[in-house]
Amino acid sequence: EIVMTQSPATLSVSPGERATLSCRASQSVSSNLAWYQQKPGQAPRLLIYGASTRATGIPARFSGSGSGTEFTLTISSLQSEDFAVYYCQQYNNWPPATFGQGTKVEIK
Amino acid sequence: QVTLKESGPVLVKPTETLTLTCTVSGFSLSNARMGVSWIRQPPGKALEWLAHIFSNDEKSYSTSLKSRLTISKDTSKSQVVLTMTNMDPVDTATYYCARILLNWNDVGWFDPWGQGTLVTVSS
């Protein structure tokens, strides 16, 4: 089973600033990686798939990069609605699909 | 518009069997490029994939929970059912169903997700 490790666990950022979230896979997952956003009391929402393709309706301030074992989600200018928990998920070697433990982006 | 909605009991007793139903709309369970997964999330914790099913009835289960899980579908009713036997308080979680979208390599991501249903296991 591939283990996904996200860092940091919590990221404190001021509105308007850039946020950079990391996700590392225990072995290569090629570009088969997705990112999700989860707000309190809500279901996760797909942001990025294929490591860098934005899902339908996702603002351009969200971008994904990386391949193999190292991935990054960047939010270029944080808006108030972006404060949430973000999860990465690999789907290269499945089942099982595996998720990271999440990065909480909080207001600084 | 694609939607998924989970339904089932909010409270189950230890050792009981949990049965959850995911009713989908906006896509067909016979679509060969899509499937449905169940994923759970204990309060304050991360997401855990449980099982998935595809149009050809291919099924897969979490290795650690395989002996307790059964997934099935009724295409005519647009429903996917998950049963989990021998429930324990550690199984308390929000249970989500989500559509799987497959890429060219027959692996995929989850979009969209249902709203989730919180299941508490307690006597």
Side-chain angles (χ1 to χ4, degrees), chain A residues 5-11 13 19-23 34-39 44-48 58 61-63 73-75 77-89 99-106, chain B residues 41 46-47:
Chain A
T5 303
Q6 292 185 240
S7 61
T10 303
L11 187 61
V13 185
T20 303
L21 290 67
S22 295
C23 175
W35 288 94
Y36 302 88
Q37 176 193 66
Q38 186 177 34
K39 297 180 181 179
R45 175 177 72 144
L46 176 72
L47 297 175
I48 302 283
I58 301 303
R61 64 180 181 272
F62 291 91
S63 63
L73 174 70
T74 302
I75 312 171
S77 177
L78 270 159
Q79 306 298 302
S80 58
E81 62 265 31
D82 300 335
F83 292 96
V85 179
Y86 294 83
Y87 292 95
C88 61
Q89 174 237 329
F99 295 87
Q101 78 279 22
T103 290
K104 181 180 181 180
V105 177
E106 65 176 24
Chain B
Q41 185 174 39
L47 301 160

Side-chain angles (χ1 to χ4, degrees), chain A residues 1 32 34 36 38 41-46 48-50 55 87 89 91-102, chain B residues 37 39 41 45-49 52 54 60-63 96 100 102-103 105-111 113-116:
Chain A
E1 175 175 318
N32 293 316
Y36 302 88
Q38 186 177 34
Q42 295 185 17
R45 175 177 72 144
L46 176 72
I48 302 283
Y49 62 93
Y87 292 95
Q89 174 237 329
Y91 51 90
N92 190 63
N93 286 32
W94 85 345
T98 48
F99 295 87
Q101 78 279 22
Chain B
S37 266
I39 298 154
Q41 185 174 39
K45 296 188 177 180
L47 301 160
E48 178 186 17
W49 176 82
H52 69 216
F54 290 98
S60 291
Y61 298 99
S62 163
T63 302
Y96 296 100
I100 305 168
L102 294 176
N103 69 5
N105 207 26
D106 287 343
V107 290
W109 52 93
F110 306 118
D111 181 50
W113 298 52
Q115 64 189 21

Side-chain angles (χ1 to χ4, degrees), chain B residues 15-57:
Chain B
T15 75
E16 289 186 338
T17 293
L18 171 68
T19 299
L20 294 172
T21 300
C22 176
T23 303
V24 310
S25 64
F27 72 101
S28 171
L29 296 176
S30 63
N31 189 315
R33 306 306 302 163
M34 298 177 185
V36 173
S37 266
W38 285 94
I39 298 154
R40 72 177 178 179
Q41 185 174 39
K45 296 188 177 180
L47 301 160
E48 178 186 17
W49 176 82
L50 300 177
H52 69 216
I53 190 166
F54 290 98
S55 59
N56 60 0
D57 218 37

Side-chain angles (χ1 to χ4, degrees), chain B:
Chain B
Q1 182 188 5
V2 173
T3 64
L4 302 93
K5 187 170 184 178
E6 306 87 351
S7 58
V10 296
L11 179 66
V12 298
K13 292 181 169 54
T15 75
E16 289 186 338
T17 293
L18 171 68
T19 299
L20 294 172
T21 300
C22 176
T23 303
V24 310
S25 64
F27 72 101
S28 171
L29 296 176
S30 63
N31 189 315
R33 306 306 302 163
M34 298 177 185
V36 173
S37 266
W38 285 94
I39 298 154
R40 72 177 178 179
Q41 185 174 39
K45 296 188 177 180
L47 301 160
E48 178 186 17
W49 176 82
L50 300 177
H52 69 216
I53 190 166
F54 290 98
S55 59
N56 60 0
D57 218 37
E58 174 197 335
K59 304 167 188 175
S60 291
Y61 298 99
S62 163
T63 302
S64 61
L65 295 168
K66 186 172 185 175
S67 63
R68 300 172 53 206
L69 295 174
T70 302
I71 192 170
S72 62
K73 64 179 173 66
D74 185 330
T75 302
S76 65
K77 292 183 178 179
S78 295
Q79 292 181 334
V80 174
V81 176
L82 182 76
T83 62
M84 181 180 293
T85 61
N86 195 25
M87 293 292 284
D88 183 273
V90 300
D91 296 313
T92 294
T94 297
Y95 287 76
Y96 296 100
C97 58
R99 182 180 65 168
I100 305 168
L101 292 172
L102 294 176
N103 69 5
W104 61 274
N105 207 26
D106 287 343
V107 290
W109 52 93
F110 306 118
D111 181 50
W113 298 52
Q115 64 189 21
T117 185
L118 175 60
V119 178
T120 300
V121 184
S122 175
S123 55

